[in-house]
Amino acid sequence: MHDPSTRPAPRLSIVIDNYNYEQFVARAIDSALEQTVSDLIEVIVVDDGSTDRSMAVIAAYADRVRIIDKPNGGQASAYNAGFAAARGQLVLFLDADDWIYPDAAAEIIAAWTPGTSKVQFLLDMVDGAGDPLHRQVPRELHDAEAARLMRDCGAYGSPPGSGNAYDRDYLRQVMPLEESAWRTGADSVPILLAPAYGQIRSLRRALGAYRIHRALDDEALVFNNYSGSLLSEFLRITAGKRAVAEGLDRLGAQRAQPLGLAPWEARTMVMCARFGGPQARAAMQPSPGAVVRHALRSVCRWPYIPLRRKLQMVVWMLGVTALPLSLAHRLARMHRRSAGQPDPSAHAAAARLAAMKLHG
């Protein structure tokens, strides 16, 4: 019988997608090059037509990384170009404003086994300057439950793009991505469909940093690095549902019709119905009220949160929907403060991030 311990360790391709992040991209490249298993790593940097000095920064690494300098086409086009060049059995798409810790690749490679479609891990949240926010994403990591949640809700607990490493045999099934549809948020497709093609393995400690550019005290109701538009969040969520539905239908797999919403998606949908403006409400089918009811039902049916928290979320959503506008807006802003989960080792994480910031 073949001894799996004698199987050669897989190589990991780290694909860094960059667009106008001249102030951040060097930190991302350095973090990829500083992995403890550097002999098992290849680093590919895709610049998606930056108009700042990004290419001047990237060019300094020409003897150590593979550089793809392409016209601007959006995130999906950068993913497609990077994957086409990648040769590793595992592929990690690292956003140029994030970075990974030196032991990330070793941990990923050790966790991967044949039949695994994705290895996922926590990310420390940092602000635009790279200082710790003492929180981690995501709040929930799902692995054994991920396939069921995907079939029922089209979503499961997963980190943002930089916290995922994929098996290339899986990626071949879902890539190349449709470039016109995924100029932003292209990580949604490989993240959401991974449970349909193999096992999800979760590493429940932070192996990288997720940078939040948006000021914590601005008026946006969403907590990401995109436009802050609730309409754009609504479109991203609905596009993800379509991608999951189409992917499962291609495989002949059973799924809920319609797909439900994960709790974090349900909260966003409720905010969009109240504060997204006429364009967002017009896009809600069959009506904003129906979308709110679907969000409430989805939270009640979500299996992995306690009843008390479900009740809190339902009360919050009803308040955002029905309270006078100013009170509802104050309530909605609480959504941002609950992003991620408190870091159980905040002091250690702060020291680690400070040391890496100084080194970078």
Side-chain angles (χ1 to χ4, degrees):
M1 182 179 295
H2 177 68
D3 180 359
S5 67
T6 64
R7 184 178 60 243
R11 289 181 60 82
L12 172 66
S13 298
I14 301 174
V15 177
I16 300 172
D17 61 293
N18 178 75
Y19 176 67
N20 284 352
Y21 277 155
E22 65 173 284
Q23 71 273 44
F24 302 135
V25 67
R27 174 67 272 181
I29 298 173
D30 287 338
S31 76
L33 292 172
E34 292 165 358
Q35 294 300 299
T36 57
V37 289
S38 57
D39 57 319
L40 297 177
I41 301 298
E42 71 166 349
V43 182
I44 300 166
V45 184
V46 183
D47 186 76
D48 189 35
S50 293
T51 56
D52 63 2
R53 294 186 64 260
S54 287
M55 274 307 301
V57 176
I58 295 167
Y61 295 89
D63 59 335
R64 289 177 286 169
V65 307
R66 181 169 180 183
I67 299 171
I68 300 174
D69 183 9
K70 60 180 286 298
N72 180 254
Q75 191 178 34
S77 72
Y79 272 34
N80 289 341
F83 181 57
R87 296 295 177 262
Q89 181 64 40
L90 301 173
V91 181
L92 189 157
F93 295 105
L94 177 62
D95 290 341
D97 53 338
D98 300 335
W99 70 88
I100 53 175
Y101 302 152
D103 56 345
E107 295 277 350
I108 291 165
I109 290 169
W112 179 86
T113 58
T116 298
S117 58
K118 189 183 80 157
V119 178
Q120 59 183 12
F121 49 89
L122 295 172
L123 295 169
D124 288 323
M125 295 171 64
V126 300
D127 64 16
D131 294 321
L133 296 175
H134 307 298
R135 299 187 72 82
Q136 296 176 331
V137 287
R139 179 178 286 272
E140 302 173 58
L141 275 174
H142 295 129
D143 33 48
E145 320 94 332
R148 173 192 170 186
L149 290 173
M150 181 198 57
R151 292 192 300 267
D152 291 347
C153 300
Y156 61 97
S158 171
S162 297
N164 304 277
Y166 305 97
D167 183 277
R168 72 176 297 108
D169 296 330
Y170 156 58
L171 288 179
R172 287 194 189 105
Q173 306 300 310
V174 297
M175 295 184 73
L177 302 173
E178 184 180 348
E179 296 181 2
S180 61
W182 295 102
R183 288 191 62 86
T184 62
D187 54 341
S188 297
V189 177
I191 286 173
L192 294 175
L193 285 173
Y197 290 86
Q199 295 179 327
I200 307 299
R201 297 194 179 275
S202 296
L203 303 174
R204 287 177 163 78
R205 72 182 188 91
L207 295 178
Y210 176 59
R211 195 187 303 261
I212 298 292
H213 305 237
R214 188 179 302 283
L216 297 180
D217 58 352
D218 74 1
E219 291 300 312
L221 297 178
V222 295
F223 199 58
N224 60 33
N225 292 323
Y226 299 123
S227 68
S229 160
L230 285 167
L231 174 61
S232 67
E233 285 296 285
F234 171 80
L235 295 175
R236 181 185 60 79
I237 291 170
T238 53
K241 301 300 175 191
R242 284 195 301 273
V244 171
E246 292 168 2
L248 292 176
D249 291 347
R250 281 196 304 271
L251 292 172
Q254 291 185 336
R255 63 175 176 87
Q257 298 191 34
L259 290 169
L261 296 165
W264 51 91
E265 295 173 324
R267 293 194 297 267
T268 299
M269 288 297 201
V270 168
M271 291 191 297
C272 191
R274 185 69 191 271
F275 300 109
Q279 195 174 1
R281 288 191 287 272
M284 293 185 162
Q285 298 299 323
S287 69
V291 169
V292 170
R293 290 191 292 274
H294 182 51
L296 290 165
R297 285 194 299 269
S298 295
V299 166
C300 291
R301 293 172 180 171
W302 186 260
Y304 300 113
I305 52 177
L307 178 60
R308 180 179 178 181
R309 186 173 163 214
K310 286 184 181 182
L311 291 173
Q312 290 173 336
M313 292 178 63
V314 167
V315 169
W316 180 88
M317 289 191 288
L318 291 173
V320 170
T321 301
L323 285 174
L325 201 61
S326 61
L327 290 176
H329 193 271
R330 287 170 60 186
L331 191 62
R333 289 198 66 200
M334 293 173 62
H335 172 69
R336 289 185 61 194
R337 293 200 295 272
S338 67
Q341 63 177 345
D343 181 356
S345 57
H347 295 298
R352 180 176 66 241
L353 287 164
M356 289 183 174
K357 185 179 178 184
L358 180 64
H359 174 70

